[in-house]
Amino acid sequence: VQKHAKLTLERVTSFIGKNHLAARLYPAKAPAQLRCWHAPGRVPFSQAKAALGKFQPINVGDELGKAWSTHWLEMSFVVPEEWAGKEVHVVFDCGGEAMVWTTDGKPLQGLNGQTGEDRRADFQVSTSAEGGSTHTFLLEVACNELFGNSAWNVGPSPPDLEKVYSLKQADFCVFDRAAWDLLMDLKVIVDTAKHMDEESMSREIALHAANDIVNAVHLHLPESYSKGRAIAAEYFGRPFPSPMKLFAAGHCHIDTAWLWPYAETKRKCARSWATQLRLMDAYPQYKFVCSQAQQFEWLKEAYSGLFARIKKKVASGQFIPIGGTWVEMDCNIPGGESLVRQFLYGQRFFEKEFGARSSIFWLPDTFGYAAQLPQIVKLCGMKYFLTQKLSWNQFNKFPHNTFLWEGIDGSRLLTHFPPADNYCSHATAADVRKSETNFKDKGRATSAMLVYGHGDGGGGPNPGMVEMLTRMSGGAGGLPQIEFERPEKFFEENEQRQEKFSVWKGELYFEYHRGTYTTQAKNKQSNRACERLLHDIEFVATVSSILINTPYPRKELHSLWKLVLLNQFHDVIPGTSIPEVFEDSAAHYEHIAKEGERLFDRAVAPISMRSSGIHSGFFAINTTSVDRVEVVECPMEAFTDLNALMDAEEAEGDAASGREAEAEKKKTGEKKKQEEKKGDVGGSGRKAPHPAQVSTSGNALGLVEIPALSIMRCPVSSLELVRHPVSIREDSDGNFVLANHVLRALVTPCGHIQSLRTVEESGGECVDNVHSAGGNHLVMFDDNPLFWDAWDVDCYHLEKRVDLEAFGKCEVIERGPLRVTLQVTHKVSEKSSVRQLIRLAASSPYVEFVTEVDWHEEHKFLKVEFPCAIRSDRASYEIPFGFVERPTHMNTSMEMAKFEVCAQQWVNLSQYGLGMALFTDSKYGYAVHDNVVRLSLLRSPKEPDANADMGKHVFRYAAMPHNFGGFQEAGVAQIATAFNNPLRLIESTASDALRWNRILSCDCAAVLIDTLKMSEDDDRVAIMRCYETFSSTCTATVRFSFGVAKVLECNLLEDSGAPVPITDNAIRVAFSPFQIRSFKLHLK
């Protein structure tokens, strides 16, 4: 051994393998009797049992069916007398996944027939079989592997829908427990020898022990196994552990959708968790953690008996719900309120069903972490955070494993990255050893987490993992000691020494998967649209409940919110799933839109019920805390009705005379019609005014001025009422000059912005028109990432570009006075094109680009660039409830790694006294390098969805110059909020107008009132959520237009906090930079 360590290691490794010790696990086997029913889909057990009469005989080798099909098998066996007293198992392999059921409908264990480490084909039937006894089970076979039906190249391919599954094995077997125990001993000892330092005593001791075992054991003499086990017991019985301790938590990361649809995830949860319950029964020391309330809710609905069994294990402390969110969501793309609802609904579910909330934010697998998360997590009652994804980083390895993560408001979370650099460790000595050698905070801490179990496609730990960790637990062979413990204990111990830990400030940027900010654009667009819709429904429903006492649609809103949250899962909203997933999400978003509009209409019904004749008005709804002066489109008949109403009210004088006049009009209706034909309104003698402008779609354009958080009648301007018209003219060079009283833009016939500036004398030029073709420059890049097609975009894509020029005619299609519009078309390729409407509206501080793309490319990336005449080392990007600054240069590798970043509604580049902001209604990928601002528009990856982003897209973005102080004073965040929340227009009676004016008002420009909703539990309590947007310390007075008896501050879970004094129906509250504050408004 001493002279030939390598050869000895090869010898003992070979002894473990399939042709030696592992081949002795099943010394006897016999085929099962099988019958099969090819089910019409994913049917429940009850339907399969009812169909037993349709089951037909099937044999090993027979075909089952194509990908995604379901088949139910009845499996029976009579135990031979010679097997009496022996341990008997089933070994079943269908090439895919399966669930073992008792004949009375109890799910027992999941099976997976793949080859390799993920294989789980063994199911224990009896530890001591009775000769002559009959055993019958039903097996639910899913024709998909653990990772769906995708092949793997440099990433997962689209699913192979023609793949055919066959029955490979279905045997009852005698299981040799002694051979298994010896195999587990050797695996640990040999793996330790492989991964300890070559010159270490630990390696030599392990290698000698393994070699001695091989010498002592004769595979054809099972009675010799005990000699080998005795040698192993001596090895494990004299540990010399390292100073490090690992807290081992079993884990089964199940992607809520990815390479399989949501419907299959429900079955994956049942298969995986039934398996874990059996493991808990077999190993009392074993503890298993499980996140994602959505998956628990699915299980409760479809597998109530299994859910009840899980609750018992939760009570005993072995099954540990963790994480506190509805799903393990993406943390870049969802808006701030969506992140709040992830915790609100997740924690409430955990508390209701399991009796406790989670103290740990558990999110091991997502693609970056917004810098506002520490505050959100803390305000949801959590103190700790576990993830590991940054261990994948492309250029810069993250420098810590245990540290304090500080958010943009100063909140700190005790954070841990398991040093094995995964969330699905196989619990080998290699992973245990790596947990020590890779631990980056030695000296500051002596413990870490080991999160083990098959994941992504489910499965979780298997018996071998628990066996190996149990053998290593004492620190044998110089390995760290291992405790089977709840993760809270790890964090609680480290919390006592957190003053020793380093602090990481700001975002946890993931240096991979940057393409996820853009892939599957329609999915992302629908997400933001539904976020806006639910925000608006909650506002109007709350106001209606407060002022008119209408029922608040809490149950319906919960249902819609849960669908939004579901589709924010970290493989769905990033755009990295198979086509079937996006078919599901599209159907979900369509349902949310349809049902949401119904709820919205119901909430505004008290003011939208039309009366006859001219007594119907036109109202605008402003659900944002931003005062608005905007051009809107409305039907021509609404314009006519509104002006008729205004004239009638003027003539009548008051509501009573209005009712009398209405009765008179009914009597003389015909006369009125004749008068209106002549242009006389209501017999008043005045001509019906024409709208100031008719849009290209035939609608009336009107200029609406409406305060924040209001619903009020909006006049549609006639020409003489337009005080600040917008204009367009063509100059001598063929360029177009667009101007209003706020800004001036010069647009070339190609649609490039050659000049963009405010009209003030101090307004500087925002566009770099010296070194570039100008702003709004469409560019297409080659996009061929090395790995992970839908996920990644690599830095070299910026080196290969094609500049798109306009083709066809650039024409003026709207000439003011309320809105001017240029139409420009671009040829992308023989297959793709772009049509743009470049618009400027009266009183608008930005130029808007309504963009329609017919997109049919392959591995191309469409972006738009705005080269700016602005010099700054940093640009500002909106994130949930705030903004971050990122460098515009690439001095270091960390800065270079951020060549593509994620943001919410806006990005801003400013120097002192001059800046430009870019807004978007549905895009999330940005970059600012030197003076060029880029917005990512569309990608065209082919895996795992070959048709990702193909087809027509319509989206909006806008460029806003500013020169008043900084971008904060210019109101960038507020204007971007308004841009993303178009005014809603409804027809209504006029009687309720004043009751809906300025429902809430705030006197501080830095503070946005983001959300108004009813409490989760009390119909007489409203929730108001605000946050500071400027990165400033300020004080705001919030005034209520309705009676408030009491105000309590609350956290994001709506737990009551300290009272807030009310004076004159208003509260005055202080804010620190980026602080989020929520309040319970107890109504009078």
Side-chain angles (χ1 to χ4, degrees):
V1 175
Q2 294 174 350
K3 294 182 179 179
H4 304 287
K6 183 175 181 294
L7 184 63
T8 302
L9 189 59
E10 290 172 349
R11 178 200 186 199
V12 297
T13 301
S14 176
F15 184 81
I16 293 173
K18 291 181 181 179
N19 295 324
H20 295 89
L21 181 57
R24 303 285 173 153
L25 295 178
Y26 304 103
K29 66 179 181 178
Q33 297 297 311
L34 299 168
R35 295 194 306 143
C36 178
W37 174 53
H38 304 294
R42 297 179 178 95
V43 302
F45 174 86
S46 58
Q47 189 173 341
K49 187 172 183 180
L52 279 173
K54 301 178 182 179
F55 282 44
Q56 298 295 320
I58 188 172
N59 298 306
V60 171
D62 289 350
E63 288 187 0
L64 290 166
K66 289 186 177 182
W68 305 125
S69 60
T70 295
H71 310 271
W72 284 83
L73 275 66
E74 183 186 61
M75 184 178 193
S76 299
F77 178 75
V78 178
V79 177
E81 292 295 339
E82 60 270 25
W83 290 14
K86 297 183 183 296
E87 186 170 349
V88 175
H89 288 201
V90 164
V91 178
F92 181 84
D93 186 352
C94 61
E97 295 190 80
M99 169 76 95
V100 181
W101 295 78
T102 64
T103 55
D104 60 353
K106 180 181 179 181
L108 294 177
Q109 182 185 308
L111 299 174
N112 171 41
Q114 288 180 245
T115 58
E117 292 290 339
D118 291 333
R119 180 178 173 85
R120 193 190 306 259
D122 180 287
F123 169 74
Q124 184 187 72
V125 175
S126 174
T127 57
S128 180
E130 181 181 345
S133 62
T134 299
H135 296 271
T136 302
F137 302 97
L138 291 183
L139 286 91
E140 179 187 12
V141 172
C143 286
N144 50 264
E145 298 180 9
L146 205 61
F147 289 86
N149 285 295
S150 297
W152 287 77
N153 300 310
V154 294
S157 69
D160 179 4
L161 301 182
E162 298 303 315
K163 180 178 180 179
V164 176
Y165 286 76
S166 300
L167 187 57
K168 297 180 178 181
Q169 184 178 3
D171 294 322
F172 281 77
C173 305
V174 172
F175 182 74
D176 190 335
R177 178 64 61 176
W180 161 263
D181 290 338
L182 182 62
L183 180 66
M184 293 298 101
D185 291 340
L186 271 171
K187 276 194 170 185
V188 172
I189 297 171
V190 172
D191 205 32
T192 301
K194 285 181 180 179
H195 293 95
M196 300 301 284
D197 293 341
E198 286 193 6
E199 303 302 321
S200 69
M201 181 71 73
S202 298
R203 181 176 187 267
E204 290 299 318
I205 292 173
L207 196 57
H208 272 270
N211 195 62
D212 289 345
I213 291 171
V214 172
N215 289 335
V217 172
H218 300 276
L219 292 178
H220 65 288
L221 299 173
E223 59 270 23
S224 69
Y225 295 175
S226 60
K227 296 180 181 179
R229 293 225 65 209
I231 297 169
E234 182 181 358
Y235 172 84
F236 292 122
R238 50 187 181 95
F240 43 98
S242 86
M244 190 168 191
K245 179 171 63 176
L246 295 181
F247 290 79
H251 182 234
C252 174
H253 180 67
I254 302 177
D255 285 321
T256 301
W258 180 30
L259 302 179
W260 51 89
Y262 289 124
E264 194 57 42
T265 306
K266 298 174 185 180
R267 301 201 297 185
K268 282 179 175 287
C269 292
R271 290 190 289 260
S272 299
W273 297 349
T275 301
Q276 298 311 305
L277 293 182
R278 284 175 66 87
L279 209 56
M280 292 172 199
D281 291 337
Y283 299 97
Q285 76 273 28
Y286 173 60
K287 288 180 171 57
F288 174 76
V289 299
C290 192
S291 63
Q292 306 194 79
Q294 171 69 89
Q295 294 182 4
F296 283 109
E297 184 174 79
W298 280 338
L299 200 79
K300 180 182 178 183
E301 294 169 350
Y303 301 86
S304 58
L306 180 57
F307 186 70
R309 290 158 55 198
I310 286 173
K311 292 183 75 169
K312 290 182 180 179
K313 290 297 185 181
V314 171
S316 72
Q318 282 188 278
F319 199 115
I320 304 169
I322 202 167
T325 53
W326 192 247
V327 298
E328 289 189 5
M329 67 284 189
D330 180 87
C331 290
N332 288 314
I333 294 165
E337 191 61 27
S338 287
L339 295 176
V340 171
R341 301 306 171 95
Q342 288 283 356
F343 291 97
L344 177 65
Y345 293 149
Q347 290 281 51
R348 286 176 68 87
F349 183 92
F350 281 11
E351 187 170 35
K352 178 183 177 182
E353 298 295 339
F354 306 124
R357 299 172 181 173
S358 176
S359 63
I360 302 173
F361 177 33
W362 183 276
L363 190 59
D365 182 25
T366 199
F367 311 145
Y369 307 86
Q372 188 62 291
L373 272 172
Q375 182 180 190
I376 294 172
V377 173
K378 294 293 282 288
L379 289 175
C380 290
M382 297 178 168
K383 300 189 292 182
Y384 315 124
F385 176 39
L386 183 141
T387 187
Q388 65 79 46
K389 199 66 176 184
L390 268 64
S391 67
W392 286 33
N393 270 5
Q394 188 173 23
F395 302 115
N396 304 280
K397 296 306 177 185
F398 195 78
H400 304 293
N401 288 103
T402 305
F403 62 99
L404 296 173
W405 180 24
E406 182 174 303
I408 54 175
D409 75 309
S411 297
R412 289 182 176 181
L413 272 182
L414 180 57
T415 301
H416 182 63
F417 294 179
D421 284 351
N422 58 47
Y423 52 84
C424 49
S425 163
H426 290 175
T428 60
D431 279 344
V432 171
R433 173 65 172 158
K434 182 179 180 180
S435 296
E436 178 179 23
T437 59
N438 190 50
F439 188 58
K440 300 179 181 67
D441 295 284
K442 299 179 181 74
R444 297 187 182 94
T446 57
S447 63
M449 288 285 298
L450 179 71
V451 182
Y452 66 99
H454 297 305
D456 291 333
N462 58 32
M465 295 178 186
V466 182
E467 292 277 359
M468 289 188 292
L469 288 175
T470 300
R471 285 163 171 76
M472 290 183 278
S473 61
L479 294 172
Q481 299 177 75
I482 295 169
E483 288 189 16
F484 294 92
E485 260 298 350
R486 57 188 178 88
E488 287 87 351
K489 186 175 180 182
F490 162 77
F491 281 104
E492 288 163 1
E493 286 192 6
N494 279 278
E495 188 175 25
Q496 303 305 312
R497 55 191 302 146
Q498 63 180 331
E499 73 280 353
K500 295 180 177 293
F501 296 135
S502 299
V503 177
W504 182 272
K505 293 188 176 184
E507 67 183 326
L508 294 174
Y509 178 82
F510 181 43
E511 296 179 6
Y512 260 128
H513 296 359
R514 304 167 185 90
T516 61
Y517 314 147
T518 306
T519 306
Q520 297 286 2
K522 289 182 181 177
N523 193 55
K524 293 174 169 62
Q525 187 174 48
S526 295
N527 168 75
R528 192 179 293 185
C530 288
E531 287 179 327
R532 291 197 302 257
L533 176 58
L534 292 178
H535 169 273
D536 291 354
I537 295 168
E538 289 183 333
F539 173 75
V540 296
T542 300
V543 172
S544 184
S545 179
I546 292 172
L547 299 181
I548 311 175
N549 203 31
T550 57
Y552 186 75
R554 187 176 286 107
K555 183 178 179 180
E556 295 97 323
L557 281 167
H558 283 179
S559 176
L560 298 184
W561 262 116
K562 287 177 180 180
L563 279 180
V564 170
L565 302 180
L566 168 63
N567 288 288
Q568 290 174 348
F569 179 74
H570 65 253
D571 278 310
V572 180
I573 199 169
T576 54
S577 293
I578 60 174
E580 291 86 342
V581 174
F582 296 110
E583 292 170 9
D584 286 344
S585 69
H588 291 161
Y589 287 132
E590 183 179 355
H591 170 76
I592 295 166
K594 182 178 179 180
E595 180 65 12
E597 290 299 334
R598 186 187 69 81
L599 291 178
F600 185 90
D601 291 343
R602 192 173 81 186
V604 299
I607 63 166
S608 64
M609 295 176 64
R610 296 197 58 174
S611 57
S612 59
I614 64 171
H615 283 280
S616 51
F618 190 57
F619 280 68
I621 303 178
N622 181 7
T623 63
T624 71
S625 63
V626 181
D627 292 343
R628 317 272 285 268
V629 180
E630 294 180 12
V631 172
V632 298
E633 284 196 39
C634 67
M636 288 295 291
E637 59 268 23
F639 171 83
T640 304
D641 284 350
L642 174 66
N643 285 285
L645 171 65
M646 295 172 67
D647 283 346
E649 286 182 341
E650 182 181 327
E652 292 164 358
D654 56 41
S657 62
R659 287 192 295 273
E660 294 171 5
E662 181 64 22
E664 183 63 27
K665 287 185 186 119
K666 288 182 179 179
K667 295 178 183 178
T668 59
E670 187 58 36
K671 179 182 177 183
K672 174 180 176 293
K673 289 180 181 178
Q674 294 299 323
E675 290 170 343
E676 287 181 346
K677 285 181 180 179
K678 299 175 184 177
D680 187 40
V681 179
S684 65
R686 289 194 287 172
K687 298 291 184 182
H690 294 287
Q693 185 177 344
V694 177
S695 71
T696 54
S697 58
N699 290 323
L701 294 183
L703 189 65
V704 173
E705 184 171 355
I706 182 171
L709 300 169
S710 296
I711 302 176
M712 59 184 294
R713 190 172 64 200
C714 57
V716 181
S717 306
S718 55
L719 185 59
E720 61 271 20
L721 297 178
V722 180
R723 289 173 294 176
H724 301 292
V726 63
S727 64
I728 186 168
R729 63 179 177 84
E730 189 172 355
D731 68 11
S732 57
D733 295 324
N735 298 318
F736 298 90
V737 181
L738 288 63
N740 62 17
H741 74 289
V742 181
L743 65 83
R744 176 184 179 277
L746 182 67
V747 185
T748 72
C750 292
H752 295 160
I753 308 298
Q754 282 234 307
S755 175
L756 182 65
R757 60 197 308 160
T758 63
V759 298
E760 299 172 7
E761 291 184 6
S762 59
E765 177 58 64
C766 287
V767 176
D768 179 3
N769 50 29
V770 176
H771 304 98
S772 73
N776 192 41
H777 189 184
L778 293 168
V779 184
M780 188 165 68
F781 297 88
D782 270 15
D783 183 16
N784 290 282
L786 295 176
F787 308 103
W788 301 99
D789 200 16
W791 289 257
D792 285 348
V793 55
D794 285 317
C795 55
Y796 55 74
H797 83 284
L798 294 169
E799 300 175 18
K800 195 171 183 179
R801 56 185 282 158
V802 174
D803 299 307
L804 304 186
E805 300 297 335
F807 77 99
K809 185 170 64 173
C810 175
E811 59 180 332
V812 180
I813 61 172
E814 290 182 329
R815 294 186 174 275
L818 289 178
R819 188 172 70 193
V820 297
T821 302
L822 275 172
Q823 179 176 272
V824 186
T825 54
H826 297 265
K827 184 176 182 179
V828 177
S829 69
E830 295 301 320
K831 300 177 290 185
S832 304
S833 61
V834 178
R835 172 179 171 266
Q836 271 199 330
L837 302 180
I838 303 174
R839 284 177 166 167
L840 179 62
S843 300
S844 175
Y846 53 76
V847 177
E848 180 182 11
F849 305 88
V850 181
T851 307
E852 180 181 308
V853 185
D854 193 10
W855 185 245
H856 301 279
E857 298 302 309
E858 183 170 337
H859 291 117
K860 302 295 182 183
F861 200 156
L862 183 65
K863 302 188 181 190
V864 64
E865 296 183 339
F866 285 83
C868 298
I870 296 168
R871 185 176 180 83
S872 177
D873 288 342
R874 306 189 72 79
S876 302
Y877 301 79
E878 188 189 37
I879 64 170
F881 296 130
F883 67 85
V884 293
E885 292 186 335
R886 296 172 174 134
T888 61
H889 53 76
M890 297 183 178
N891 283 355
T892 68
S893 59
M894 278 195 171
E895 293 160 348
M896 184 274 288
K898 295 182 179 181
F899 61 84
E900 181 88 359
V901 296
C902 190
Q904 292 280 315
Q905 301 175 136
W906 58 266
V907 62
N908 182 82
L909 182 66
S910 294
Q911 63 189 38
Y912 180 76
L914 181 64
M916 192 201 79
L918 194 63
F919 311 143
T920 168
D921 72 341
S922 58
K923 302 301 175 184
Y924 296 89
Y926 298 81
V928 182
H929 295 143
D930 296 328
N931 68 325
V932 178
V933 180
R934 289 193 191 94
L935 176 64
S936 296
L937 303 179
L938 291 168
R939 295 187 70 221
S940 49
K942 299 304 170 187
E943 293 181 338
D945 181 355
N947 294 305
D949 286 317
M950 297 298 97
K952 288 191 176 181
H953 301 260
V954 179
F955 49 85
R956 301 159 53 237
Y957 56 89
M960 172 184 154
H962 57 86
N963 65 309
F964 177 68
F967 72 91
Q968 292 96 328
E969 291 90 340
V972 165
Q974 288 73 13
I975 296 169
T977 298
F979 179 80
N980 272 271
N981 292 269
L983 293 173
R984 284 179 164 268
L985 307 176
I986 61 170
E987 291 185 60
S988 170
T989 61
S991 58
D992 291 312
L994 294 178
R995 294 171 61 189
W996 296 68
N997 189 23
R998 287 197 184 276
I999 305 305
L1000 301 167
S1001 62
C1002 177
D1003 67 351
C1004 179
V1007 174
L1008 272 178
I1009 300 174
D1010 185 71
T1011 296
L1012 181 67
K1013 64 182 286 287
M1014 295 304 293
S1015 160
E1016 293 296 303
D1017 301 307
D1018 193 333
D1019 287 334
R1020 297 304 299 162
V1021 176
I1023 302 294
M1024 178 184 70
R1025 189 158 12 263
C1026 317
Y1027 71 99
E1028 196 283 326
T1029 66
F1030 283 10
S1031 184
S1032 67
T1033 300
C1034 61
T1035 302
T1037 298
V1038 179
R1039 191 167 301 279
F1040 316 114
S1041 67
F1042 49 89
V1044 177
K1046 179 174 65 174
V1047 177
L1048 300 176
E1049 187 154 13
C1050 63
N1051 63 14
L1052 298 179
L1053 302 183
E1054 302 183 9
D1055 299 324
S1056 297
V1060 180
I1062 305 176
T1063 304
D1064 296 330
N1065 214 38
I1067 58 173
R1068 188 161 177 80
V1069 290
F1071 287 83
S1072 57
F1074 301 121
Q1075 185 177 12
I1076 305 166
R1077 299 192 69 174
S1078 302
F1079 303 92
K1080 282 187 169 181
L1081 313 179
H1082 290 255
L1083 308 175
K1084 287 184 178 178

